[in-house]
């Protein structure tokens, strides 16, 4: 009897162990396998407006590390500010033998790429738009809400002028076709409507060129020497506006507001007073959002062209008082794998 | 009738510039202020310097489409070398060697390989841009390091002020350099043997060669001069913006340079015109751009107006200076 009892106990213990073991097996996390299956070998291609400026280099460095990290491949194409070269690059990509799975596109204007992107989605390629929105619903848009960004700029300019100033503001717009320029302008005007005593005295275009920005700003300051703030639509050409302010000996009297990629040059310009305020793109978080939406789309199983997601980057106008060592990023450090 | 006969394109453009100037002075407040006039000259000075080089090339019956690429890429390379820790002297020597080399290549292609100037320089400009952008320069915009001599250029007039007790501080250095370049080119073209050769070659290349003028070395020389002038225009751009942005290669700057030269009255068929034409052309463009900015015209309209004026200038030129037997034989570039 005793022996039988003992044998039963042993058998039960053994069974129990097996049962526990098999339960442990059943509890293994299914995530990594599914993640790997959905993402392994997927091809992501970034087509920016050009590769030679801070934002594109930042996105590319970040995405390359992430995409290769989850087992995909990452490539870039450089249209070098040429819309037709960009269109050609996209055409080659979607008609090539090895199609990308995700196209990340930085559009030069509201419409140019619409047809091509539609075709890409029809071929099963997810399209993620970055930075510049289009009149075309991609699978996702990641970037700035340019209207909100314009509002932030205008609020910074109003604050920079102060109550006892001339309340005259000058704008140096980008161009008349680019969404970032058009929506920025709308946002600025919305805020200025709430401050009816503030007036826009001139709003020339720079065509995103620092020399033009400098020339138009010089003329603007000639005509209105009592301007208290200038909003230049991009840090790339705001160097021209700042040179004009300096030439007119109005340093410290004209508050220069701009927007930019938040690379080290922006912080240096805030530090030495060249820029009064910069609405900086939080590049690391923006790139992280891109990576997240790419991973989501690839796992979602939904066909390309069926989702319309907008992910706006949180932004604020940074002034000298807000500067911290971590405020700006450094393109070289980012490419070297930091951040 | 005599007045009409003497109506060269230069005079028409000068009269047009004067008319626009008077109209702007009356209608636009602040236009006639000394500061605004200085700003006008300053805004066209880089354009004007490039036009000086282009003018010399065109008078000798050629064209240099690589000028803007040389201007931007040479200075960007120089600044990039400084950033990478190359010593200032070494970087400058290398850059100058590169600039002269491109001038030589342009000249050799045109003079010895008989490649039409328009294709030779179009290709070399694209090559310079592509090579430098892909191999030598990390970003579109390259800043001038703090304390570099390029940044100090702007201080020259006030230094002269302190030194010579002459009041020049209000005039930007760009204006001096543009007038200096135009004046030197004027002396070269009018008073040196080599300068006269440029006219002779532009007027009738074959006759010039038969006369014994060293036409091939002279052609090479013109492209080297043009490249060096382009480099100095780039230095000036960098000094005024504290950085150089190579995107300027994709802008309309090159066409604006040709516009200044042609509108001023230097015919594309070569052999005529001089530095006065460049100055007049640059002033017209400067006044126009200034007025259009004051009036808040958008870029589209600015380009439309500029191109309309260029078209009118070309048509008037061909009416006043009809093609003769000689130009018909040579053809245009």
């Amino acid at each position: 009897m005793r022996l039988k009892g003992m044998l039963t106990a042993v058998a039960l213990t053994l069974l129990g162990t097996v049962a526990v073991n098999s339960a442990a097996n059943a509890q293994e996390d299914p995530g990594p396998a599914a993640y790997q299956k959905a993402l392994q070998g997927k091809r992501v291609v970034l087509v920016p407006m050009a590769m030679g400026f801070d934002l594109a280099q930042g996105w590319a460095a970040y995405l390359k590390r992430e995409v290769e990290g989850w087992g995909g491949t990452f490539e870039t194409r450089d249209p070098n500010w040429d819309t037709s070269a960009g269109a050609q690059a996209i055409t080659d990509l979607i008609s090539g033998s090895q199609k990308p799975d995700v196209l990340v596109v930085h559009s030069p204007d509201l419409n140019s790429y619409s047809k091509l992107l539609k075709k890409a989605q029809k071929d099963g390629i997810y399209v993620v738009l970055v930075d510049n929105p289009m009149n075309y619903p991609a699978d996702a848009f990641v970037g700035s809400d340019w209207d909100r960004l314009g509002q932030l700029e205008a609020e910074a300019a109003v604050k920079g002028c102060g109550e006892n100033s001339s309340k005259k503001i000058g704008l140096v717009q980008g161009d008349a076709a680019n969404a970032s320029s058009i929506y920025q302008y709308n946002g600025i005007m919305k805020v200025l409507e709430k401050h009816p005593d503030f007036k826009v005295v001139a709003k020339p275009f720079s065509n995103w060129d620092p020399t033009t920005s400098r020339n138009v700003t010089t003329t603007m300051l000639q005509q209105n020497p009592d301007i208290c703030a200038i909003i230049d639509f991009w840090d790339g050409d705001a160097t021209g506006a700042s040179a004009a302010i300096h030439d007119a000996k109005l340093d410290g009297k004209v508050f220069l507001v701009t927007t930019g990629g938040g690379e080290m040059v922006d912080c240096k310009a805030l530090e030495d007073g060249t820029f009064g305020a910069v609405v900086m793109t939080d590049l690391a978080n923006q790139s992280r959002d891109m990576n997240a939406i790419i991973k989501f789309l690839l796992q979602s199983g939904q066909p390309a062209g069926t989702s319309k997601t907008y992910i706006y980057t949180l932004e604020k106008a940074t002034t000298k008082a807000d500067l911290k060592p971590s405020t700006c990023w450094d393109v070289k450090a980012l490419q070297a794998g930091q951040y | 009738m005599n007045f009409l006969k003497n109506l060269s394109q230069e005079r028409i453009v000068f009269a047009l510039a004067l008319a626009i100037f008077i109209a702007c002075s009356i209608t636009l407040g602040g236009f006639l202020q000394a500061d605004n006039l200085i700003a006008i000259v300053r805004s066209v000075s880089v354009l004007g310097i490039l036009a000086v080089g282009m003018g010399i090339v065109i008078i000798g019956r050629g064209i240099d489409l690589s000028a803007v690429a040389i201007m931007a890429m040479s200075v960007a390379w120089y600044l990039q070398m400084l950033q990478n820790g190359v010593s200032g002297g070494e970087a400058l020597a290398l850059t100058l060697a590169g600039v002269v080399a491109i001038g030589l290549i342009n000249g050799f292609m045109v003079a010895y390989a008989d490649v039409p100037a328009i294709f030779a320089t179009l290709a070399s400009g694209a090559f310079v841009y592509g090579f430098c952008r892909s191999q030598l320069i990390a970003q579109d915009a390259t800043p001038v390091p703090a304390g570099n001599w390029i940044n100090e250029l702007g201080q020259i007039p006030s230094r002269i002020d302190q030194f010579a007790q002459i009041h020049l501080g209000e005039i930007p250095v760009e204006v001096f350099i543009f007038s200096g370049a135009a004046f030197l080119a004027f002396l070269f073209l009018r008073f040196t043997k080599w300068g006269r050769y440029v006219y002779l070659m532009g007027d009738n290349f074959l006759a010039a060669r038969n006369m014994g003028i060293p036409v091939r070395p002279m052609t090479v020389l013109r492209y080297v001069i043009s490249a060096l002038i382009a480099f100095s225009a780039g230095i000036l751009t960098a000094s005024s913006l504290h950085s150089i942005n190579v995107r300027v290669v994709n802008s309309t700057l090159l066409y604006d340079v040709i516009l200044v030269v042609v509108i001023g009255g230097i015919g594309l068929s070569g052999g005529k015109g001089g530095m006065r034409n460049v100055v007049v052309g640059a002033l017209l463009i400067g006044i126009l751009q200034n007025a259009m900015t004051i009036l808040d015209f958008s870029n589209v309209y600015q380009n439309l107006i500029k191109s309309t004026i260029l078209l009118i200038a070309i048509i008037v030129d061909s009416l006043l200076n009809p093609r003769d037997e000689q130009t018909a034989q040579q053809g245009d570039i």
Side-chain angles (χ1 to χ4, degrees):
Chain A
M1 226 15 234
R2 253 188 169 193
L3 189 69
K4 217 178 172 185
M6 267 172 75
L7 279 175
T8 317
V10 169
L12 279 175
T13 315
L14 280 173
L15 265 176
T17 318
V18 171
V20 166
N21 272 343
S22 60
N25 278 341
Q27 266 173 22
E28 193 179 331
D29 183 3
Y35 182 80
Q36 203 199 2
K37 189 164 170 265
L39 300 181
Q40 185 69 41
K42 290 291 190 279
R43 188 159 168 244
V44 178
V45 182
L46 169 69
V47 185
M49 282 169 72
M51 279 306 296
F53 75 117
D54 51 8
L55 277 177
Q57 287 174 332
W59 296 327
Y62 191 97
L63 282 180
K64 183 176 164 56
R65 187 153 44 95
E66 285 285 345
V67 171
E68 285 174 1
W70 48 252
T73 59
F74 179 75
E75 286 165 55
T76 57
R77 293 286 184 275
D78 186 0
N80 198 21
W81 308 107
D82 181 352
T83 305
S84 57
Q88 189 59 48
I90 296 173
T91 310
D92 291 349
L93 284 167
I94 56 184
S95 58
S97 57
Q98 201 206 343
K99 290 184 180 31
D101 299 282
V102 182
L103 257 181
V104 184
V105 177
H106 181 212
S107 168
D109 55 51
L110 284 165
N111 295 310
S112 290
Y113 294 162
S114 297
K115 271 194 176 153
L116 285 172
L117 298 184
K118 203 172 193 174
K119 182 165 187 310
Q121 287 184 326
K122 228 172 138 189
D123 289 356
I125 302 168
Y126 295 110
V127 175
V128 177
L129 286 179
V130 296
D131 197 41
N132 281 345
M134 285 177 70
N135 281 339
Y136 163 78
D139 292 282
F141 170 82
V142 181
S144 306
D145 172 355
W146 288 98
D147 190 301
R148 175 83 194 111
L149 194 148
Q151 294 179 33
L152 289 169
E153 285 180 322
E155 281 159 12
V158 167
K159 206 170 149 200
C161 277
E163 270 310 302
N164 299 319
S165 64
S166 69
K167 300 187 177 171
K168 286 186 183 172
I169 293 181
L171 309 181
V172 180
Q173 306 188 66
D175 62 44
N178 197 305
S180 63
S181 193
I182 297 165
Y183 296 154
Q184 221 176 131
Y185 178 81
N186 293 347
I188 291 168
M189 289 305 160
K190 272 182 200 163
V191 169
L192 293 185
E193 270 167 26
K194 288 184 219 145
H195 298 269
D197 41 341
F198 277 83
K199 227 176 86 189
V200 173
V201 291
K203 43 187 183 187
F205 291 89
S206 73
N207 220 13
W208 311 113
D209 168 41
T211 308
T212 313
S213 166
R214 178 195 165 138
N215 289 341
V216 296
T217 307
T218 302
T219 308
M220 190 155 82
L221 290 171
Q222 284 292 334
Q223 293 297 108
N224 310 280
D226 56 342
I227 279 181
C228 60
I230 290 177
I231 303 176
D232 191 310
F233 281 26
W234 186 39
D235 62 352
D237 48 71
T239 49
S242 76
I245 293 171
H246 178 74
D247 291 335
K249 301 199 173 57
L250 292 169
D251 293 300
K253 289 187 186 130
V254 179
F255 192 77
L256 180 58
V257 184
T258 188
T259 173
E263 215 260 340
M264 286 309 283
V265 288
D266 282 341
C267 278
K268 272 186 206 150
L270 283 173
E271 187 79 49
D272 65 21
T274 310
F275 295 161
V278 184
V279 184
M280 296 181 192
T281 301
D282 181 347
L283 183 107
N285 277 324
Q286 190 174 78
S287 307
R288 200 165 293 144
D289 287 346
M290 272 179 227
N291 181 48
I293 196 79
I294 290 169
K295 290 199 282 192
F296 168 74
L297 286 169
L298 286 172
Q299 292 176 67
S300 67
Q302 64 183 32
T306 49
S307 116
K308 287 163 200 168
T309 309
Y310 294 87
I311 301 178
Y312 291 116
T313 313
L314 182 63
E315 275 150 352
K316 67 168 196 144
T318 306
T319 61
K320 191 175 178 180
D322 310 319
L323 282 183
K324 285 182 231 110
S326 61
T327 304
C328 285
W329 54 279
D330 180 10
V331 80
K332 280 189 196 127
L334 184 64
Q335 282 166 338
Q338 294 169 27
Y339 297 94
Chain B
M1 223 34 223
N2 209 8
F3 171 74
L4 266 179
K5 260 191 180 162
N6 289 330
L7 206 57
S8 67
Q9 189 183 334
E10 182 198 341
R11 286 184 193 188
I12 297 169
V13 170
F14 187 68
L16 194 60
L18 208 64
I20 296 174
F21 184 82
I22 291 167
C24 291
S25 313
I26 296 167
T27 53
L28 298 178
F31 180 84
L32 211 51
Q33 280 173 7
D35 285 348
N36 192 46
L37 301 183
I38 290 173
I40 290 176
V41 183
R42 183 220 292 261
S43 71
V44 289
S45 51
V46 166
L47 187 63
I49 291 168
L50 286 168
V52 166
M54 187 70 81
I56 294 175
V57 174
I58 290 181
I59 290 171
R61 207 179 154 73
I63 196 159
D64 186 357
L65 300 185
S66 65
V68 172
I70 294 175
M71 162 188 139
M73 304 324 281
S74 60
V75 177
W77 183 37
Y78 172 65
L79 295 175
Q80 181 74 53
M81 279 194 281
L82 292 184
Q83 271 195 1
N84 296 350
V86 181
S87 78
E90 197 183 325
L92 189 61
L94 275 172
T95 311
L96 278 172
V99 169
V100 171
I102 291 296
L104 287 173
I105 291 170
N106 279 340
F108 273 101
M109 280 198 291
V110 176
Y112 293 91
D114 283 331
V115 183
I118 200 162
F119 299 121
T121 55
L122 185 66
S124 71
F127 172 79
V128 166
Y129 177 78
F131 179 77
C132 293
R133 186 62 194 79
S134 62
Q135 305 299 318
L136 305 173
I137 299 161
Q139 273 198 310
D140 278 2
T142 316
V144 180
N148 188 272
W149 65 275
I150 294 179
N151 281 340
E152 303 298 313
L153 268 183
Q155 303 300 320
I156 290 175
S158 49
R159 292 274 154 74
I160 298 175
D161 265 13
Q162 292 163 4
F163 194 70
Q165 306 285 321
I166 318 166
H167 194 62
L168 295 173
E170 297 300 311
I171 303 174
V173 70
E174 288 98 323
V175 178
F176 289 106
I177 297 183
F178 173 35
S179 11
F183 187 65
L184 282 180
F186 162 75
L187 293 180
F188 169 75
L189 287 172
R190 290 282 152 183
F191 297 110
T192 67
K193 187 172 72 176
W194 307 102
R196 301 313 301 170
Y197 286 174
V198 173
Y199 281 96
L200 297 175
M201 284 165 59
D203 196 37
N204 193 329
F205 186 81
L206 289 176
R209 193 166 70 180
N210 290 341
M211 270 170 71
I213 290 174
V215 284
R216 285 178 164 166
M218 278 302 303
T219 304
V220 175
L221 176 71
R222 276 189 293 131
Y223 285 97
V224 173
I225 291 176
S226 171
L228 286 170
I229 289 178
F231 173 66
S232 56
I235 292 284
L236 206 54
T237 308
S239 116
S240 67
L241 299 174
H242 297 272
S243 69
I244 188 106
N245 193 325
V246 298
R247 274 189 73 189
V248 72
V249 177
N250 299 327
S251 74
T252 58
L253 182 59
L254 183 65
Y255 307 109
D256 286 344
V257 172
I258 298 172
L259 179 67
V260 162
V261 173
V262 172
I263 228 173
I266 298 180
L268 283 173
S269 49
K272 62 181 172 198
M275 286 305 121
R276 212 168 48 194
N277 303 72
V278 169
V279 174
V280 168
L283 283 183
L284 174 66
I285 296 298
I287 293 167
L288 262 181
Q289 275 177 350
N290 184 266
M292 291 190 292
T293 307
I294 293 178
L295 292 170
D296 252 340
F297 281 11
S298 77
N299 261 17
V300 183
Y301 284 103
Q302 298 207 4
N303 287 336
L304 179 66
I305 292 170
K306 275 193 286 185
S307 53
T308 310
I309 289 180
L310 177 65
L311 275 175
I312 294 171
I314 292 173
I315 293 167
V316 170
D317 180 48
S318 64
L319 287 177
L320 292 173
N321 306 304
R323 297 288 140 91
D324 53 18
E325 187 80 0
Q326 191 187 319
T327 45
Q329 271 177 12
Q330 290 198 39
D332 281 321
I333 43 165

